Structure formats: structure tokens, C-alpha cells
């Protein structure tokens, strides 16, 4: 009577949401300050002051009919032009508003791209560790198959051998996410160049373009200089961006798809993205926030707060004997766990009211994700618990 796959999706919460709900329950029992919730990627720094000021100013100076009304489906043209101008200033490009499709966050941008590209029998490739929602966006949302390339667990750059093994005549696109959730890795220029070369030769071999879908909600959260801008390396790149993390606006749902003019048959690709949005009933991205992000001009929230958290957490965990690749971006740390079982480690940590997400759901067992977008004090007080867990594993000869 009901679509079984949708019933399943709707009744099973993601592991991350499960942990988050558990954290709320425990907070009611033992007090919020005694629960160390590192489960969710909800930004912990407030939106910059200009965001709220702009909202007030927009409300005071513009007609509310216009502010709260429908915009054109791809977004208000003036807002899109402002976003294009900002990209051009930062990346030396020549984009126009006609190449941008504003969306309700990166999730909607990804869904529009997957739906725009997927034809019967197509496959998409994600690279572990990957954002778990890709699977339902690709498989249930766009009716295509998701393949996963194994992780390079040393550096969390790309395991090219495994990626090569995932490419075949059915491959429509490869999805990349740098800075990465959950590893915090930022792909180097060398990695991106090698990826671009591999996709160019696979496109040639299979006689059709293989697209690169660059999922970039963490683009500005970087600690060692900007991340390589993928369209500069590979023409068939579609960019999915959002201001959820850079401006701490995840609940407001605002982002975009960029279809650069270098993409094969770019106008058709853009039409397909708009058509996908239409078929999904997106109508238009939140109207007020289209106007707000148009004023961003590359400004972001307080990235240094995340850097301080990263340094504190990494130092503490290294001292306790944990092994990890130092995150260069985003606000996640993805250490290998003693004992090699991420789910078991996460369960044991829960008993200490320490909430970390098993790596299994990200396609990378033996690790856990620690979201360090929390108060610094939470990290400081949680470090002895991480150390205690390591000591337990050591005492059992498991570390
Ligand atoms: N992609 C990745 C890798 C993410 O981590 C997230 C959110 O955490 C999203 C996409 C979805 O972002 P948004 O909230 O802008 O839809």
C-alpha cells in the first residue's frame, strides 16, 4: 500500500540522529553539562553579526510581499548575480547568475544534480569515508546505483586504485567532498589533478562524460589556505554549495548548484538541474535568505574557534594514544579506534555519556567521527573520558 523503501527510510533514523536524540534524553536525566555530545555537525559559532543586521535591514527597507514572495525558480536574479560576482572575485572565473540554481541547502543541490544526471542503469561513485545521505539521495531519490571506493585510511586523500576499480561504462558521476565530512581531509592540488586526469581518460574510454559532483558545504572551513577549486581542474564539474556551515545557517536551508559554462552542453545541463528541481517540487530556495547570502561577499563565521577546538582535541587525543590524520578543514576528527570496531567503541563511549558516531555508516569501519563544533569546555572535560576509554582497551590488550 505504501512505497516500502520510503517506509523504511522514514522509520529508520540515521545513526547520527539516534545518538543526538539519545543525548537529549540523557541531558534531561543527568544535566546537559554532563553529556558530551560530539554527534552532530551543527555549527557552534554564531552567525556573523551582519547576518541578523541584514535581515533587519531587509525587513525594514523592502516590501514584505517581495521578500516573502515566490522568486523565479532558480532564484532571484540579482541574488544569483551577486553570488556569481563573489565567486568570480575569489576564483578568477567569469560566471553569471544564469549558471547558478539556488537551493534549500547542499542536500537539495545534490538531489537536483543526481536527478538531473541519472538515466536508467547509471552509477554514481562516492569515495569513503562519505556522507551517508548520498546513498538515499542517489538510490531512492534518483533511481541510480551508488558504488563506493575504499578509503585511503592513512591520509584520507583518494585511494585511486579502488576508485579506478569502481569506474565502468555505467559511471555517470563521481561525488567528492573536500573539506571532508567525516575525515576533515582537504584534497591537495595533486590529488585533484590526478582525479581530473583519471576522469578525463575514463570519459574518453567510455565515450561519454563522467561528471564530478563537488559537494562543498565546508569550502571555507579550512585551516591551511583555500581548498583547490575543482572547476579549474575539470570541466565537467557541478558544484553543490551551501552557507549552512560557513555562515552557521543550517536551519535556514540555503545553497546552490553551479553549472559552469565549461560543462558539456552546459545549457542543457543547467536546464536538467532546473527540471530536476521542478520535478522534486523545490519551487524556489527560501526567499529571504536568497537576499541575505547575496550580501555575504565571501565573509564567513569565526573559523578560528574551530581551529582552536581542533588543536585542543587533537593534542589531547594524541597524548592519550589515539591515531588520526590531522584535519585540515571542516569540523570533524576521524580517529582509528582501539579494538578496530567503531560501533563497539561508540557503544562503550555512550556508557560514559560520550557520543561519537561509528565510521561504519561512512563506509569506513574501525573509526569514529568526533564533531568538534562544540563549546571548548566540552572538549576539555571530555578528554579524560577519551583517555579512560583508551586505558580500558589497553588493559584488555586491544590497543
Ligand atoms: N554534504 C555534506 C558532506 C554534509 O556534511 C552536509 C551536512 O552536514 C550536507 C551535504 C548537507 O548540507 P545542507 O545542510 O546545506 O543541506
Amino acid at each position: 500500500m505504501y512505497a516500502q523503501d520510503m517506509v523504511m527510510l522514514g522509520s529508520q533514523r540515521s545513526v547520527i540522529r539516534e545518538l543526538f536524540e539519545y543525548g537529549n534524553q540523557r541531558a534531561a536525566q543527568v544535566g546537559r553539562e554532563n553529556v558530551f555530545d560530539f554527534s552532530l555537525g551543527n555549527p557552534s559559532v554564531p552567525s556573523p553579526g551582519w547576518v541578523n543586521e541584514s535581515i533587519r535591514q531587509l525587513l525594514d527597507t523592502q516590501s514584505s510581499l517581495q521578500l516573502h514572495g515566490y522568486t523565479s525558480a532558480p532564484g532571484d536574479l540579482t541574488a544569483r548575480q551577486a553570488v556569481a560576482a563573489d565567486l568570480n572575485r575569489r576564483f578568477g572565473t567569469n560566471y553569471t547568475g544564469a549558471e547558478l540554481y539556488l537551493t534549500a541547502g547542499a542536500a537539495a543541490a545534490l538531489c537536483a544534480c543526481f536527478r538531473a544526471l541519472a538515466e536508467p542503469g547509471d552509477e554514481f561513485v562516492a569515495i569513503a569515508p562519505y556522507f551517508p545521505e548520498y546513498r538515499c539521495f542517489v538510490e531512492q531519490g534518483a533511481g541510480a546505483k551508488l558504488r563506493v571506493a575504499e578509503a585511503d585510511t592513512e591520509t584520507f586523500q583518494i585511494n585511486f586504485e579502488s576508485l579506478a576499480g569502481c569506474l565502468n561504462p555505467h559511471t555517470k558521476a563521481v561525488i567528492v567532498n573536500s573539506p571532508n565530512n567525516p575525515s576533515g581531509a582537504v584534497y591537495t592540488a595533486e590529488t585533484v589533478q590526478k582525479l581530473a586526469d583519471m576522469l578525463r581518460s575514463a570519459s574518453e574510454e567510455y565515450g561519454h562524460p563522467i561528471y564530478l559532483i563537488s559537494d562543498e558545504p565546508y569550502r571555507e572551513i579550512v585551516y591551511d589556505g583555500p581548498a583547490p577549486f575543482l572547476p579549474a581542474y575539470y570541466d565537467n564539474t557541478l558544484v553543490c554549495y551551501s552557507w549552512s556551515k560557513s555562515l552557521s545557517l543550517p536551519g535556514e536551508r540555503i545553497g546552490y548548484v553551479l553549472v559552469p559554462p565549461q560543462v558539456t552542453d552546459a545549457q542543457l545541463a543547467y536546464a536538467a538541474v532546473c527540471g530536476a528541481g521542478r520535478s522534486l517540487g523545490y519551487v524556489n530556495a527560501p526567499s529571504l535568505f536568497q537576499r541575505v547570502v547575496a550580501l555575504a561577499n565571501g565573509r564567513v563565521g569565526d573559523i578560528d574557534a574551530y581551529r582552536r577546538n581542533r588543536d585542543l582535541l587533537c593534542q589531547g587525543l594524541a597524548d592519550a594514544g589515539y591515531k588520526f590524520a590531522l584535519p585540515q578543514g571542516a569540523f570533524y576528527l576521524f580517529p582509528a579506534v582501539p579494538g578496530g570496531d567503531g560501533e563497539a567503541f561508540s557503544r562503550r563511549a555512550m556508557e560514559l555519556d560520550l557520543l561519537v558516531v561509528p565510521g561504519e555508516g561512512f563506509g569506513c569501519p574501525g573509526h569514529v567521527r568526533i564533531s568538534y563544533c562544540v563549546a571548548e569546555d566540552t572538549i576539555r572535560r571530555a578528554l579524560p573520558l577519551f583517555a579512560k576509554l583508551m586505558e580500558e582497551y589497553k588493559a584488555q590488550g586491544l590497543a
Side-chain angles (χ1 to χ4, degrees), residues 53-388:
E53 281 159 30
S54 307
I55 294 169
R56 277 188 213 104
Q57 206 172 9
L58 284 165
L59 291 171
D60 287 346
T61 56
Q62 298 208 6
S63 118
S64 72
L65 277 179
Q66 201 189 1
L67 271 185
H68 303 308
Y70 291 123
T71 66
S72 76
D76 173 73
L77 185 57
T78 312
R80 284 185 282 146
Q81 282 165 339
V83 173
D86 176 40
L87 289 171
N88 295 339
R89 190 178 49 75
R90 287 193 288 150
F91 300 113
T93 48
N94 218 357
Y95 301 137
T96 68
E99 284 132 20
L100 285 161
Y101 175 81
L102 300 184
T103 58
L110 289 163
C111 288
C113 285
F114 298 155
R115 188 72 189 78
L117 293 179
E119 294 177 285
D122 277 352
E123 296 183 0
F124 289 69
V125 181
I127 297 166
Y130 65 97
F131 182 53
E133 293 299 277
Y134 293 159
R135 187 167 293 285
C136 80
F137 294 171
V138 166
E139 296 192 337
Q140 281 81 32
K145 177 184 163 87
L146 185 76
R147 275 186 193 275
V148 178
E150 279 171 29
D152 166 350
T153 50
E154 280 296 305
T155 63
F156 294 110
Q157 297 289 312
I158 295 175
N159 175 342
F160 282 101
E161 209 180 312
S162 179
L163 178 59
C166 291
L167 302 181
N168 64 52
H170 301 290
T171 310
K172 184 51 88 59
V174 172
I175 310 160
V176 291
N177 166 227
S178 163
N180 184 262
N181 172 10
S183 72
V186 176
Y187 289 166
T188 61
E190 195 191 352
T191 296
V192 175
Q193 188 62 59
K194 203 165 162 188
L195 173 65
D197 291 344
M198 180 181 263
L199 295 188
R200 265 190 291 271
S201 64
S203 300
E204 208 163 296
E205 183 182 348
Y206 300 130
H208 63 80
I210 296 182
Y211 297 88
L212 189 57
I213 298 179
S214 182
D215 178 21
E216 305 186 353
Y218 303 95
R219 183 169 60 216
E220 280 83 19
I221 305 182
V222 283
Y223 307 120
D224 305 310
F229 185 60
L230 270 55
Y233 292 77
Y234 189 67
D235 285 348
N236 275 315
T237 301
L238 303 179
V239 175
C240 297
Y241 180 79
S242 89
W243 286 269
S244 296
K245 316 288 174 166
S246 56
L247 291 181
S248 301
L249 294 173
E252 303 300 352
R253 315 304 305 135
I254 186 76
Y256 63 74
V257 179
L258 166 70
V259 182
Q262 291 77 16
V263 167
T264 305
D265 294 327
Q267 284 185 357
L268 294 184
Y270 185 79
V273 168
C274 295
R278 182 177 170 194
S279 78
L280 292 162
Y282 289 170
V283 184
N284 63 243
S287 171
L288 174 61
F289 277 84
Q290 293 186 32
R291 274 69 176 211
V292 173
V293 296
L295 302 169
N297 251 324
R299 289 177 291 178
V300 296
D302 178 13
I303 307 302
D304 271 345
Y306 297 132
R307 183 200 301 274
R308 285 194 298 276
N309 281 2
R310 176 197 68 162
D311 291 347
L312 179 65
L313 180 64
C314 288
Q315 186 63 56
L317 290 195
D319 290 348
Y322 288 86
K323 299 271 180 292
F324 51 83
L326 182 73
Q328 292 114 13
F331 36 54
Y332 307 105
L333 179 67
F334 199 56
V337 291
D341 181 339
E343 283 172 353
F345 183 93
S346 169
R347 277 197 304 276
R348 176 64 194 110
M350 268 168 97
E351 291 167 19
L352 304 178
D353 288 320
L354 185 60
L355 308 183
V356 294
V357 184
E360 278 74 0
F362 300 95
C364 192
H367 294 73
V368 289
R369 186 188 79 172
I370 306 173
S371 299
Y372 57 81
C373 42
V374 296
E376 197 176 316
D377 182 59
T378 305
I379 298 176
R380 217 174 279 288
R381 290 186 304 113
L383 284 175
L385 300 176
F386 281 109
K388 181 179 154 114

